């Protein structure tokens, strides 16, 4: 069925549900697979007609697969920039997918936990997102989707190299595992280099909230694997599970405890100023909103603030983004208008009266 | 009678009463006279014994003068640095008086509107402060005090030059007129150069809240005359009354109107963020407190905020200063402790619940 963006934005993002193990620090878990269909060229070498054929083939398969029958379908190339922005903000599609050219589509489950990007960099990219630390559940879900597609599509696979992908860095398992972490205390205590070292030791990359090239807004960090060749999917997932994520989570917990025990005034100053700013401002940039919401979220998680609902804060992370903000407002807004609308939205959600 | 600093700090500063004409913009009016007693050398050439004789002569005269009989007396050189700081913050004595050496005294009326600094730069400096634009009332009061002293003390006076003073810049009338203005809107609209030009045209000096060399904290500016020779007292006062102050007040009013009419969101953002910050912070420097209180005061004056009492804000300007803060707290505090105590004091005064 065709999706309505208006319906989509009213749902809570799966990855911002604030549920799942370690959800005070692990925002979400994401696994992505890259697949290409044998017999079609990789996209950089496919003309418009071939791209359309690939898209039709994949979409038809999705519609005919029981497991994916209720997925919502959108043609990215037919959407305006605002709608594309909303999909990027929800992480249902990548920025590359939004900004690409030619026939591009997406299908996603109504809950927004699984999306299939058609003609992004590869013919199909399957992405599963889960709130909190849920690698096993995500792995199970993406495997089921992969198997269902695999039963109907002939994926390009090489006995020695594994799955073949448009970009060599994805060849092999074609899997990218990514865990989004909320690390406000480590930023305050100026210990983020510990996280960088832990990631580097395991050959993992660190990026901001919306992926490559984005800043770590609101103290959110994505840790993801760089190597897809020569390791099994299970080994990759194990790296995250057993070593790097528990270690970083412990660093953040230690930083929060240290702040609470030794620098409570400084901690409360950050937390309460964030809340005060959010409740008072009449103009607010998305960058400032993310930073204040980040501190407020930490304040809620460690029990320094009890008067605000965590879900309200989680929702605001996405509702204050430019695309969502304009869709919620019902029309395009310039920079200053967004700043006014954002501040008004936040006040309306966070004021008790 | 001897004054108790504890009593003094509980009173509202005369100059922060927020009363009198134009008090939304004109914080206070101050007139100061410099007088020296014939027969005694100027202070730079007086030894300890002569300084003490001067002080005794002046103090005895004050105690024996009906008009000044209820004045409170303090020996500056016997006070500790915290008490001296409190007197400077209230503008009952100058920084120079606080930081000087040798016998130094002050006498002031219980309301704190008139103070007599003994052995500051001159033998006696009489200072009258009034809330709002009250040059005539201040002039009347200081004249009465001057006449009362003149009846008992033989002031050094030269038929051609007028009153003789330790520093030649004060020779003549020995009068310094100073008006303190609150100009937050002109700061926001970046139009303070207009004020500078208006002052320069009239050969007036601009300084910060606590006089020479101090920054214009909290958008407070002191405009004062530089010339004391060759103009009568009445001419000097007229300059302030008729030209420079009305002009600057109009600039500030225009800036407030322009902000309200054309940049209401930006204005409210400043005002409400100031209130939010004051109500939320757990650590606050005196500089930040002054700036936030300044914006909040403007917000109250132009009716953007109605839930807070103006007197509460006026009192906080002085109560958050380091000396007052420590006296109110009952003991010495280091920088971080002051920051915590200041934030707590502000919250306790500004929170409705």
């Amino acid at each position: 069925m065709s999706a309505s963006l208006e319906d989509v934005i009213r749902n809570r993002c799966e990855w911002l549900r604030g549920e799942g193990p370690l959800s005070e620090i692990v925002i979400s878990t994401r696994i992505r697979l890259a697949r290409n269909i044998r017999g079609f060229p990789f996209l950089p070498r496919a003309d418009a007609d071939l791209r359309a054929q690939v898209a039709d083939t994949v979409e038809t398969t999705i519609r005919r697969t029981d497991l994916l029958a209720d997925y919502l379908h959108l043609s990215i190339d037919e959407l305006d920039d605002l709608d594309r922005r909303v999909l990027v903000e929800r992480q249902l599609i990548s920025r590359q997918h939004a900004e690409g050219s030619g026939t591009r589509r997406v299908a996603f489950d109504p809950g927004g936990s699984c999306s299939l990007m058609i003609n992004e960099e590869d013919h199909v990219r399957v992405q599963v997102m889960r709130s909190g630390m849920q690698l096993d559940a995500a792995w199970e879900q993406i495997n089921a989707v992969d198997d269902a597609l695999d039963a109907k599509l002939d994926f390009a696979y090489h006995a020695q190299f594994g799955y073949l992908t448009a970009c060599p860095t994805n060849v092999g398992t074609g899997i990218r595992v990514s865990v989004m972490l909320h690390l406000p205390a480590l930023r305050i205590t100026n210990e983020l280099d510990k996280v960088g070292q832990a990631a580097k030791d395991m050959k993992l990359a660190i990026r901001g909230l919306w992926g490559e090239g984005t800043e770590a807004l609101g103290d959110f960090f994505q840790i993801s694997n760089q190597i897809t060749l020569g390791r099994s999917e299970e080994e990759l997932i194990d790296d995250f599970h057993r070593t790097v994520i528990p270690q970083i989570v412990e660093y953040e917990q230690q930083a929060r405890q240290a702040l609470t025990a030794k620098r409570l005034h400084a901690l409360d100053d950050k937390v309460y100023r964030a809340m005060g700013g959010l409740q008072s401002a009449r103009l607010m940039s998305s960058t400032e909103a993310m930073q204040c919401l980040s501190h407020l979220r930490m304040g809620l998680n460690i029990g320094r603030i009890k008067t605000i609902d965590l879900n309200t804060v989680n929702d605001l992370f996405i509702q204050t983004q430019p695309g969502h903000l304009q869709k919620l407002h019902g029309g395009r807004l310039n920079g200053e208008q967004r700043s006014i609308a954002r501040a008004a939205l936040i006040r309306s959600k966070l004021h008790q009266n």
Side-chain angles (χ1 to χ4, degrees), chain A:
Chain A
M1 85 187 74
S2 268
S4 149
L5 259 293
E6 278 64 29
D7 294 340
V8 171
I9 63 166
R10 279 184 216 297
N11 291 331
R12 182 160 293 152
C13 272
E14 163 62 28
W15 56 280
L16 279 173
R17 275 185 205 282
E19 299 165 354
L22 301 174
S23 65
E24 293 189 0
I25 293 167
V26 181
I27 298 287
S28 62
T29 311
R30 183 165 58 153
I31 304 181
R32 198 208 63 198
L33 297 176
R35 298 287 183 261
N36 290 275
I37 305 169
R38 200 185 300 268
F40 286 103
F42 288 132
L43 292 173
R45 285 170 40 188
D47 61 17
D49 189 49
L50 279 168
R51 290 178 73 98
Q53 283 184 44
V54 168
D56 287 343
T57 304
V58 177
E59 182 175 338
T60 306
T61 303
I62 294 168
R63 290 185 186 275
R64 289 182 185 164
T65 301
D66 285 349
L67 185 67
L68 315 174
D70 66 341
Y71 275 37
L72 308 168
H73 292 260
L74 287 169
S75 291
I76 307 299
D77 48 294
E78 290 169 10
L79 297 177
D80 67 14
D81 58 338
L82 208 54
D83 290 344
R84 286 199 289 259
R85 194 163 194 167
V86 164
L87 295 175
V88 173
E89 289 170 0
R90 300 184 84 81
Q91 307 204 355
L92 289 170
I93 66 173
S94 65
R95 288 195 303 165
Q96 191 179 345
H97 205 197
E99 293 162 8
S101 60
T103 303
R104 294 162 353 266
R105 299 185 193 159
V106 66
F108 50 90
D109 77 304
S113 73
C114 179
S115 76
L116 298 113
M117 285 177 263
I118 303 171
N119 289 352
E120 196 243 27
E121 186 177 281
D122 296 288
H123 296 163
V124 200
R125 287 200 163 178
V126 186
Q127 174 190 271
V128 165
M129 282 192 294
R130 286 297 178 107
S131 176
M133 184 69 178
Q134 295 203 62
L135 271 168
D136 289 336
W139 177 239
E140 211 169 287
Q141 186 179 358
I142 204 164
N143 249 338
V145 175
D146 189 30
D147 289 348
L149 292 174
D150 201 23
K152 295 200 164 83
L153 292 169
D154 188 11
F155 287 141
Y157 186 85
H158 184 281
Q160 188 188 344
F161 299 129
Y163 288 101
L164 300 179
T165 53
C167 178
T169 58
N170 293 317
V171 166
T173 58
I175 192 180
R176 197 172 289 271
V177 175
S178 169
V179 175
M180 198 194 300
L181 300 162
H182 184 219
L183 308 176
L186 286 169
R187 168 107 74 176
I188 293 172
T189 59
N190 212 13
E191 293 176 294
L192 282 171
D193 53 332
K194 280 188 181 179
V195 179
Q197 194 55 52
K200 200 177 161 193
D201 289 347
M202 299 299 292
K203 295 192 167 46
L204 301 175
I206 303 188
R207 298 192 177 88
L209 181 48
W210 277 281
E212 227 156 326
T214 62
E215 270 183 278
L217 287 176
D219 311 317
F220 290 115
F221 298 84
Q222 273 193 58
I223 312 275
S224 58
N225 64 304
Q226 297 177 291
I227 298 169
T228 57
L229 190 65
R231 306 209 74 190
S232 73
E233 290 89 339
E234 286 77 7
E235 282 171 327
L236 268 172
I237 289 174
D238 226 41
D239 287 349
F240 279 83
H241 251 313
R242 293 217 188 167
T243 57
V244 69
I245 301 301
Q247 193 173 5
I248 297 174
V249 166
E250 197 188 329
Y251 289 154
E252 172 69 14
Q253 281 167 337
Q254 284 170 350
R256 291 181 184 192
Q257 282 157 11
L259 284 172
T260 308
K262 294 175 199 157
R263 293 173 58 196
L264 190 60
H265 289 290
L267 176 70
D268 277 353
D269 192 57
K270 295 268 188 204
V271 168
Y272 282 95
R273 273 179 189 258
M275 184 165 75
L278 291 164
Q279 290 177 332
S280 309
R282 263 58 182 172
L283 297 171
M284 190 170 274
S285 70
S286 59
T287 306
E288 186 188 0
M290 291 290 280
Q291 187 59 64
C292 289
L293 290 167
S294 168
H295 285 156
L296 182 53
R297 185 181 193 276
M298 176 178 62
L300 291 171
N301 278 332
I302 61 178
R304 300 306 301 169
I305 287 184
K306 295 179 164 69
T307 53
I308 287 175
D309 179 48
L310 182 60
N311 278 328
T312 306
V313 175
N314 285 336
D315 289 345
L316 279 172
F317 277 112
I318 194 93
Q319 290 165 348
T320 55
Q321 294 305 316
H324 277 75
L325 190 68
Q326 291 175 83
K327 292 300 279 189
L328 285 170
H329 176 264
R332 283 175 195 277
L333 299 169
N334 66 27
E336 196 199 358
Q337 291 168 332
R338 287 203 299 277
S339 187
I340 293 167
R342 182 179 295 113
L345 174 71
I346 294 170
R347 287 202 313 281
S348 74
K349 300 283 182 180
L350 292 188
H351 262 296
Q352 283 122 303
N353 49 29

